[in-house]
């Protein structure tokens, strides 16, 4: 079974358990469409009409909107994770490293496609899951990146919200970054080719980590590239900044975004109480950050904030590539991996990562 099919089957299995991507009570298609019509402005009478035709049949198995809550998070956490792909795929190895001062150890998962080789590139990966969960298909995704990009992948099992508020996860991720730099020789890694990346909330954490590492450059843990796959970059989206009518209807909504960011920050999302350093979009300057690839669907709640972040990077002289996928919603590539837009999207970010590794900083 392929990596892509494994992740898709996991998503569909969560529906059979009464959850939409593990987050929402199941609803009939008629109920979903009625709710969508009732909550949509006249300018977008049918949000489904904007969805890529290849994505549409699978999408209609899921509610268009849902309420993210502590209970749905608890239910998601109880779901079994997607198992790693069997050999000959490179196998994940569990490792525990010292955590931040006064904090528990940090668990890492290391996937090395060529253990005997030296001077390999490395991707420090942060998983998605709305800051509070672990996204589906975690292990197969790590294996596919390691194989297709011929790099060591080290994924951080950072502490989750709401039990751990900001900056707990950032501290865990930074501890992992320092560890891979310090143990580069042991890992067979070239220190000049260490990238950070992740999908959704993992992209948020990767962007925050790049900013944090820049601001603490005296510790000399350079990052060569940041891979940001539909990242959440602004807590104000869906709270103090309402979403435009055409976006954020599917899979990840404004209400889910408010709940997730508030859970991470410990204060209301979009409020004046939010610490600036906790949110990439709120940081005053993005100058001096590593080159970036940012990809997002045109119907994703995060599309505007991702485009704005890319604009800021470009204006600051940071080499940046932005891909906006027509007709695509949040997580579309995981839900319908065999769609042409999904295959093109995945090929784009993997090509960008390989290209970054081929060009030493």
């Amino acid at each position: 079974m392929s990596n892509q099919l494994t992740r898709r089957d996991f998503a569909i299995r969560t529906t059979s358990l009464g959850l939409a991507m593990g987050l929402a009570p199941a609803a009939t298609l008629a109920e979903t469409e009625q709710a969508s019509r009732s909550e949509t402005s006249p300018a977008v009478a049918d949000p489904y009409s904007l969805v890529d035709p290849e994505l549409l049949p699978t999408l209609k198995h899921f509610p268009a909107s849902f309420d993210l809550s502590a209970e749905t998070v608890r239910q998601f956490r109880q779901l079994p994770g997607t198992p790693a792909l069997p050999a000959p795929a490179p196998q994940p190895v569990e490792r525990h490293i010292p955590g931040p001062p006064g904090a528990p150890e940090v668990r890492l998962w290391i996937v090395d496609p060529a253990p005997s080789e030296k001077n390999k590139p490395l991707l420090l990966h942060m998983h998605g899951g709305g800051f509070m969960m672990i996204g589906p298909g975690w292990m197969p995704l790590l294996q596919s990146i390691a194989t297709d990009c011929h790099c060591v992948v080290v994924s951080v099992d950072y502490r989750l919200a709401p039990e751990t508020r900001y900056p707990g996860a950032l501290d865990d991720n930074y501890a992992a970054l320092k560890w891979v730099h310090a143990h580069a020789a042991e890992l067979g890694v070239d220190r000049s080719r260490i990238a950070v990346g992740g999908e959704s909330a993992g992209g948020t954490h990767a962007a925050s980590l790049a900013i944090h590492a820049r601001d603490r450059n005296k510790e000399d843990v350079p990052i060569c590239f940041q891979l940001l796959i539909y990242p959440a970059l602004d807590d104000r989206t869906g709270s103090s900044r309402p979403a435009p009518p055409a976006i954020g209807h599917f899979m990840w909504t404004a209400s889910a975004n408010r709940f997730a960011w508030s859970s991470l920050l410990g204060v209301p999302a979009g409020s004046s109480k939010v610490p600036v350093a906790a949110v990439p979009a709120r940081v005053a300057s993005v100058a001096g950050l590593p080159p970036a690839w940012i990809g997002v669907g045109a119907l994703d709640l995060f599309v505007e904030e991702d485009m704005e972040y890319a604009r800021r990077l470009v204006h600051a002289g940071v080499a940046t590539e932005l891909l906006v996928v027509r007709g695509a919603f949040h997580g579309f590539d995981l839900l319908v991996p065999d769609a042409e837009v999904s295959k093109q999207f995945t090929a784009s970010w993997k090509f960008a990562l390989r290209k970054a590794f081929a060009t030493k900083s």
Side-chain angles (χ1 to χ4, degrees), residues 156-175:
V156 189
D157 190 10
Y158 54 82
R159 287 172 289 167
L160 299 174
E163 293 86 353
T164 301
R165 310 286 193 179
Y166 170 84
L170 175 60
D171 290 342
D172 290 349
N173 294 329
Y174 190 63

Side-chain angles (χ1 to χ4, degrees), residues 259-315:
F259 183 81
W261 272 110
S262 299
S263 298
L264 174 70
L265 300 170
V267 296
S271 71
S272 59
K273 298 179 180 180
V274 172
V276 170
V279 182
R282 289 180 180 254
V283 173
S285 173
V286 296
L289 291 176
W293 184 94
I294 303 174
V296 64
L299 306 181
D300 195 315
L301 181 70
F302 304 145
V303 64
E304 285 201 318
E305 65 192 62
D306 288 357
M307 291 191 298
E308 172 60 15
Y309 199 69
R311 183 196 65 80
R312 292 184 64 198
L313 290 170
V314 170
H315 285 195

Side-chain angles (χ1 to χ4, degrees), residues 6-25:
T6 298
R7 286 184 277 150
R8 179 173 60 188
D9 290 346
F10 179 88
I12 293 172
R13 187 165 75 248
T14 62
T15 307
S16 69
L17 291 173
L19 305 172
M21 288 296 284
L23 298 176

Side-chain angles (χ1 to χ4, degrees), residues 71-101:
E71 175 57 22
T72 53
V73 167
R74 185 191 67 79
Q75 291 174 343
F76 187 95
R77 289 181 178 181
Q78 292 178 343
L79 292 173
T82 308
L85 299 172
Q91 295 303 293
V93 175
E94 183 177 353
R95 179 109 181 222
H96 293 255
I97 66 170

